Amino acid sequence: MQEFFQQVVSGIAIGGIFASLALALVLIYNAMGLVNFAQGEMAMFATFVAYALINRGMSYWIAFPITLVLAFGGGILIQRLVIKPVERAPVLTLVIITLGLATLVNGFAGFIFGYVPRSFPSPFSADSADLFGVFISYRDMGVIAVSGLVLLGVYLLLQRTTVGLTMRAAAHHPEASRLLGVQVSWMLALGWGLASAVGAVSGIMVAPILLLEPNMMQSIIIYAFAAAVLGGIESPLGAVIGGLIVGVTVNLAGAYLPGVGGDLQLAVGLAIIIAVLIARPNGLFGRAAIRRV
Amino acid sequence: MMPRLRNAPPRYWLVVIAVVFFLGFPTVISSFQSSLWAQALILAIAVMGLNILVGYSGQLSLGHGAFMALGAYTSAILAHRYKMDYLLTIPIATLFTGLVGFLFGFPALRLSPLYLALATFALAVVTPSLIKRPEGLTGGVQGIILIQPDPPPFASDLFAAVTGTAMTSDQWIYYISLFCALLLFWVAWNLVRHRPGRAMRALRDGEVAAAAYGVNIAGFKTLAFGISAFYAGIAGSLFGLATGFVSPDTFPVSLSIQLLVGAVVGGLASIPGPLLGAIFAYFLPIEANQWVPSQSWIPDQVASTVKNAGPAVSYGVLLILIMIFAPNGIVGLIRAGYDWLYRRLRGATDRETGQLPPDPQTV
């Protein structure tokens, strides 16, 4: 039983990482009705930036916010350069472009940083604390705390500030917002920047667990897809809860299901995606799309 | 017959020229080169399948590498474990993959293209690990080594009569691939010109409007997915034959991306597009691999990185640039260039005779 709880807690920790990346996906989906296939690769690239900063002797807690700011700027830059010219194009075009972006960023990271896996430092000690008989590593606790703070920050930004309100308005009613003087296109860019920064957190959190290399996020993005689909792809809260459920499910499946484990855990992610899409395409918190014809 | 030939539009002659070219090509290139071109033709079959799905019916699959893997492994297992003639396994593998694709298409009915892209992308990422697991069946990480067939006497004799050398199995596989490619391109051409093609295009351009005109949306979506999986299956089966082995690493995610690059670069919703796009997408990394080490100004340490990262970077840049600036790919550019030239030439003669071309709005 104790082992079961330990698996659940480490599942919550990894689930927090999935939740951050899933939230990044939801932010962009809400802004322009698009799943950003490059989200994982952008997070991977930001993690490499953090790695480079720390390697230059910068302390972890200074490199972390600097990376987030750079990721924010990078997200805005990508939106301006690549997405803006096709803002009104069909979804098919946009998805192919984000896929091209994913391939490009992946190759670019390999080009600059190479394909040798590197170990990434974690600011939290690897020791465990005894909490009512369940041993929880400080690392897991740190990951849960950081992810929780980021998710809370995004929630406050979107729900409690004027910028957040404007961003939501621009996403849901672009025409009306434009009439009220909102610069819709820049709000979309802001959404991309925010998503990029939130995604970067997931990359930096997961890098000490996996090893840092250009294909690091390839499996994480599948879990994030699963989390976003499970939660309902337009619901930020759903993404967080979906992330936690996926994290715990995958961890428990790896530990207790015979034959699952190692790289086949990823198949659990695929199974979740397909099961949700068949049984409840709008996810747990999504609303059925109603269209006027 | 003669008037029909004389009135045939130029594109019919282009088809004839292309067929003659591909028939004669192995007689002038080496056996190894033929093997590469066979693989490019095989890739063209898979890209054609993807084009039917993406270009004509407006659904996005990022997992066609997985269907290729299914076709390849079905053939390989039948040939290796059950000692069937490999050529006989090809139709079985193709039909099986088509059926699986058809079944996979069922949930796709109620999904938006976005969700379909998501699910198929996940499928492509998971495929290599799924293949590795049942080791007794698939040979695990090692994969399965296949015996390439010898050319039959009639083909070998004919080839020897033309070139003076005996036909190798690589050249025989080239002709098998060419035969399949021609057949499947002809099928695709007929498909898109007739009722199914019109229905698919209608549902691509407006699902509700298509339904109002009596198009069976669910049926044609599933059909499109099944057909494109069918194409991917035969391509996978032939691919195993051409490379001589199948392993999980033969079918990485990047294969699915390569297929998409082929479809987009060549030109979505066109028949010659997949051929041009596949040749391009297949030879780009190979040529880059040969070109990069030959450049002495690139240091050796950098060269290996460039070799690894180069194809991904160029694929990415191409996908983005083509989708933004030339959504109809190479074929679209050629067509635009031809129209421009045609108008220039026609416009010039019209001015000489004093006749202005009719106002396009009144026609």
Side-chain angles (χ1 to χ4, degrees):
Chain A
M1 205 57 203
Q2 187 191 358
E3 197 207 325
F4 176 81
F5 280 117
Q6 253 150 260
Q7 291 290 350
V8 169
V9 172
S10 60
I12 290 175
I14 192 87
I17 295 171
F18 300 160
S20 306
L21 198 59
L23 182 65
L25 292 169
V26 168
L27 284 174
I28 288 188
Y29 183 85
N30 272 341
M32 45 202 314
L34 161 73
V35 170
N36 181 10
F37 280 83
Q39 202 72 62
E41 306 302 323
M42 284 159 66
M44 173 275 297
F45 199 83
T47 312
F48 263 114
V49 171
Y51 178 85
L53 290 177
I54 293 170
N55 238 12
R56 292 276 152 78
M58 198 180 272
S59 113
Y60 185 95
W61 292 115
I62 299 176
F64 187 80
I66 291 184
T67 305
L68 294 196
V69 171
L70 289 176
F72 183 81
I76 290 184
L77 195 70
I78 286 177
Q79 199 275 347
R80 290 282 104 180
L81 284 179
V82 178
I83 304 298
K84 188 165 175 288
V86 283
E87 231 166 51
R88 286 158 194 277
V91 167
L92 199 73
T93 309
L94 282 164
V95 169
I96 293 177
I97 285 180
T98 65
L99 202 73
L101 198 61
T103 317
L104 172 61
V105 174
N106 182 291
F108 196 57
F111 191 67
I112 297 179
F113 302 106
Y115 288 92
V116 183
R118 301 147 195 258
S119 64
F120 191 88
S122 171
F124 309 109
S125 97
D127 296 336
S128 299
D130 186 348
L131 222 72
F132 311 113
V134 180
F135 287 96
I136 304 168
S137 74
Y138 287 107
R139 243 172 224 193
D140 283 353
M141 280 196 267
V143 169
I144 293 172
V146 171
S147 313
L149 280 178
V150 168
L151 302 177
L152 187 71
V154 171
Y155 172 80
L156 290 178
L157 179 73
L158 285 179
Q159 300 293 334
R160 294 276 185 274
T161 66
T162 320
V163 176
L165 181 68
T166 324
M167 278 171 65
R168 285 188 292 139
H172 288 295
H173 298 285
E175 290 306 320
S177 314
R178 197 169 283 125
L179 291 175
L180 291 170
V182 174
Q183 292 195 310
V184 172
S185 181
W186 273 103
M187 287 299 137
L188 296 185
L190 221 55
W192 269 77
L194 192 61
S196 167
V198 173
V201 173
S202 74
I204 295 172
M205 289 292 116
V206 84
I209 303 173
L210 307 172
L211 289 171
L212 179 57
E213 49 108 13
N215 295 323
M216 174 181 77
M217 297 304 273
Q218 213 172 61
S219 54
I220 306 296
I221 190 79
I222 299 298
Y223 295 128
F225 283 158
V229 169
L230 178 63
I233 199 148
E234 57 197 19
S235 159
L237 179 68
V240 174
I241 293 174
L244 297 180
I245 294 177
V246 170
V248 172
T249 311
V250 166
N251 235 23
L252 290 180
Y256 294 109
L257 280 186
V260 180
D263 50 1
L264 215 62
Q265 274 183 331
L266 202 54
V268 178
L270 174 68
I272 292 176
I273 294 179
I274 292 180
V276 172
L277 290 184
I278 291 174
R280 200 179 156 82
N282 298 306
L284 297 176
F285 295 88
R287 273 163 307 179
I290 299 168
R291 273 181 312 159
R292 184 181 295 173
V293 181
Chain B
M1 190 68 194
M2 279 316 283
R4 259 191 85 175
L5 271 183
R6 214 175 297 130
N7 294 332
R11 62 165 181 267
Y12 286 84
W13 294 110
L14 279 179
V15 171
V16 172
I17 291 167
V19 170
V20 171
F21 170 80
F22 278 108
L23 277 176
F25 206 35
T27 60
V28 291
I29 55 178
S30 70
S31 168
F32 174 69
Q33 288 280 334
S34 317
S35 159
L36 294 183
W37 277 89
Q39 289 174 39
L41 285 174
I42 292 164
L43 207 63
I45 296 175
V47 173
M48 185 75 235
L50 191 60
N51 183 35
I52 290 175
L53 186 71
V54 181
Y56 286 101
S57 73
Q59 295 170 275
L60 187 52
S61 164
L62 307 176
H64 264 49
F67 290 111
M68 278 182 75
L70 185 63
Y73 268 93
T74 310
S75 273
I77 289 165
L78 286 176
H80 185 74
R81 283 174 63 96
Y82 301 101
K83 309 289 173 226
M84 277 177 75
D85 187 352
Y86 198 97
L87 294 184
L88 284 180
T89 69
I90 293 175
I92 299 173
T94 309
L95 287 174
F96 179 63
T97 314
L99 186 72
V100 171
F102 198 74
L103 293 178
F104 197 90
F106 267 114
L109 305 177
R110 37 195 294 196
L111 302 182
S112 73
L114 209 56
Y115 280 129
L116 187 64
L118 246 159
T120 49
F121 183 73
L123 181 68
V125 173
V126 177
T127 298
S129 13
L130 282 180
I131 295 173
K132 275 177 209 159
R133 209 37 80 94
E135 272 187 34
L137 200 61
T138 62
V141 186
Q142 262 81 41
I144 301 172
I145 294 176
L146 300 165
I147 302 151
Q148 296 185 311
D150 287 325
F154 79 90
S156 195
D157 290 346
L158 195 66
F159 195 78
V162 175
T163 61
T165 49
M167 190 188 234
T168 63
S169 49
D170 277 341
Q171 282 154 342
W172 173 232
I173 291 166
Y174 172 93
Y175 281 110
I176 296 172
S177 312
L178 179 62
F179 172 75
C180 293
L182 286 177
L183 186 70
L184 289 169
F185 269 62
W186 178 73
V187 168
W189 185 52
N190 279 303
L191 184 82
V192 301
R193 278 186 316 153
H194 293 109
R195 192 165 185 281
R198 281 197 297 273
M200 284 176 200
R201 264 173 290 171
L203 78 87
R204 171 194 71 187
D205 294 334
E207 214 168 277
V208 179
Y213 276 97
V215 172
N216 179 354
I217 300 284
F220 278 107
K221 272 190 174 176
T222 330
L223 185 71
F225 208 91
I227 290 173
S228 74
F230 180 93
Y231 274 67
I234 195 166
S237 181
L238 289 168
F239 202 70
L241 188 66
T243 49
F245 71 98
V246 289
S247 79
D249 294 332
T250 319
F251 306 99
V253 195
S254 52
L255 176 65
S256 299
I257 309 239
Q258 199 178 20
L259 294 177
L260 187 71
V261 169
V264 167
V265 169
L268 291 171
S270 83
I271 294 295
L275 178 66
L276 299 174
I279 290 173
F280 177 83
Y282 180 73
F283 282 105
L284 177 76
I286 292 177
E287 293 298 318
N289 273 358
Q290 285 176 348
W291 180 79
V292 171
S294 71
Q295 299 305 103
S296 52
W297 55 271
I298 303 176
D300 282 350
Q301 314 90 290
V302 183
S304 71
T305 314
V306 173
K307 249 166 67 176
N308 282 329
V313 171
S314 38
Y315 281 163
V317 170
L318 272 170
L319 277 181
I320 295 171
L321 289 184
I322 289 190
M323 283 324 277
I324 295 178
F325 295 110
N328 294 321
I330 299 177
V331 170
L333 288 176
I334 292 175
R335 207 170 280 157
Y338 178 79
D339 284 350
W340 179 80
L341 208 68
Y342 189 78
R343 245 180 295 117
R344 278 300 288 261
L345 297 176
R346 279 292 294 271
T349 50
D350 285 344
R351 217 168 297 141
E352 278 160 20
T353 55
Q355 279 176 330
L356 287 173
D359 183 0
Q361 278 179 338
T362 59
V363 179

